[in-house]
Amino acid sequence: MTIRDFIIRTCTDMGISCVGCADVVRWEQPLFFPWVPESCYPNAIYPEARTAVVIGLPVHLPVVETAPSIWYREEYKVVNSLLDQYTWRIATVLNDQGYASVSIPRDGYGSITVLQKNPAAFFSHRHAAVLAGLGTFGRNNMVLTRAWGPRVRFGTVLTSARIESDALIESSLCTRCNACVRACPVHALEEEDYPESKTNKKACADRSAALNGEYRSPCGICIKVCPVGADRDLFNRTDIRMYDDTGAWKKYHDAWDHVRSFGSD
């Protein structure tokens, strides 16, 4: 069994279906500009790193549809916790096999207040996910995946093991429908592809801070309206007009309003 097979089996045993690998050299071959600062490269953070192992866990679409809400907030927290636990376990298993490895927390900042001052983290799981062949960037600046669109969060393990990289997704998964641009309540997005157009991080962080005070953060609106993802077929949500039309989809809007009316200020 190769180390790659070992990692896939380990992830499968944990119930993780989204996993990809990227040689750290890929960070030195920018896919576009501007690119990640060299100080944020894997082997700048962990010099022994030879491969980044990236995993993804979904946030279930019907939950995201209630955002901003306490339901989405709690599921978001659960997924974050699982990512930290799973990446730690993967790193530990690799260490036991003789491959020096570390896990990187799913967020590299302590609070939304910190993001308002410096809207960045010490490592980008989004870029790692793209370089590991798990998705492509959308106009909402999120990573779009085939299975869940942008409704997925990522965690990363940096390992000294040399593992074959997964193929990059060559064609953008973004449909450029601009649903995310129109839906953003603080107009933080523009009608251009990433990175030509980037999220207004200050506006986004300020909204998250306000929602956090109401126990309803994160916002989630730009990811719930995105039409990309097989999860839309699974949950019978293929027509994104449902988010604007309160008549034809009244039962859904009633359900979302019900959830939003509880558990938060």
Side-chain angles (χ1 to χ4, degrees):
M1 180 183 297
T2 66
I3 183 61
R4 179 184 175 81
D5 292 336
F6 177 75
I7 289 173
I8 297 299
R9 188 182 72 177
T10 299
C11 289
T12 300
D13 290 345
M14 292 181 186
I16 303 167
S17 59
C18 180
V19 57
C21 299
D23 190 311
V24 297
V25 172
R26 284 189 169 179
W27 272 259
E28 301 171 11
Q29 303 164 350
L31 300 178
F32 43 74
F33 292 97
W35 187 241
V36 180
E38 290 188 18
S39 59
C40 297
Y41 287 11
N43 52 6
I45 295 170
Y46 179 52
E48 291 80 6
R50 297 297 176 266
T51 306
V53 179
V54 187
I55 65 169
L57 297 178
V59 182
H60 300 135
L61 176 56
V63 179
V64 182
E65 288 175 333
T66 68
S69 72
I70 191 69
W71 192 5
Y72 176 47
R73 176 186 176 93
E74 292 304 311
E75 178 145 330
Y76 185 91
K77 288 163 59 179
V78 167
V79 171
N80 279 348
S81 178
L82 287 172
L83 283 169
D84 285 348
Q85 293 177 54
Y86 286 157
T87 52
W88 182 88
R89 290 173 63 188
I90 292 168
T92 300
V93 168
L94 286 170
N95 286 330
D96 291 342
Q97 295 295 314
Y99 301 103
S101 306
V102 296
S103 59
I104 300 218
R106 83 286 175 190
D107 290 329
Y109 48 87
S111 70
I112 295 174
T113 302
V114 172
L115 278 183
Q116 289 177 289
K117 298 176 182 177
N118 180 26
F122 70 85
F123 181 79
S124 172
H125 296 288
R126 295 181 306 142
H127 287 79
V130 170
L131 290 173
L134 298 181
T136 66
F137 279 101
R139 286 193 170 176
N140 57 6
N141 291 200
M142 305 296 288
V143 175
L144 310 185
T145 64
R146 291 189 176 101
W148 308 298
R151 293 165 292 277
V152 55
R153 291 185 57 72
F154 300 101
T156 306
V157 173
L158 302 181
T159 178
S160 62
R162 293 188 180 276
I163 307 170
E164 179 184 357
S165 296
D166 284 277
L168 300 177
I169 297 178
E170 297 293 340
S171 299
S172 175
L173 299 178
C174 182
T175 66
R176 298 175 176 85
C177 65
N178 292 322
C180 58
V181 178
R182 293 191 299 271
C184 179
V186 293
H187 310 291
L189 302 172
E190 298 179 359
E191 295 182 4
E192 293 181 348
D193 293 340
Y194 178 89
E196 287 78 13
S197 175
K198 292 185 177 180
T199 300
N200 182 332
K201 294 182 179 180
K202 178 65 166 57
C204 189
D206 286 347
R207 173 164 170 79
S208 291
L211 290 174
N212 192 51
E214 302 168 1
Y215 307 103
R216 295 193 299 150
S217 66
C219 175
I221 290 176
C222 70
I223 70 171
K224 79 178 180 184
V225 301
C226 179
V228 179
D231 57 343
R232 291 208 166 274
D233 292 307
L234 173 65
F235 291 109
N236 192 29
R237 261 60 165 198
T238 55
D239 192 340
I240 64 170
R241 291 178 299 176
M242 67 187 300
Y243 302 119
D244 296 319
D245 191 336
T246 58
W249 284 274
K250 183 179 184 301
K251 64 179 180 180
Y252 293 99
H253 285 267
D254 287 348
W256 302 333
D257 289 342
H258 168 76
V259 172
R260 292 176 192 138
S261 66
F262 288 87
S264 58
D265 293 337

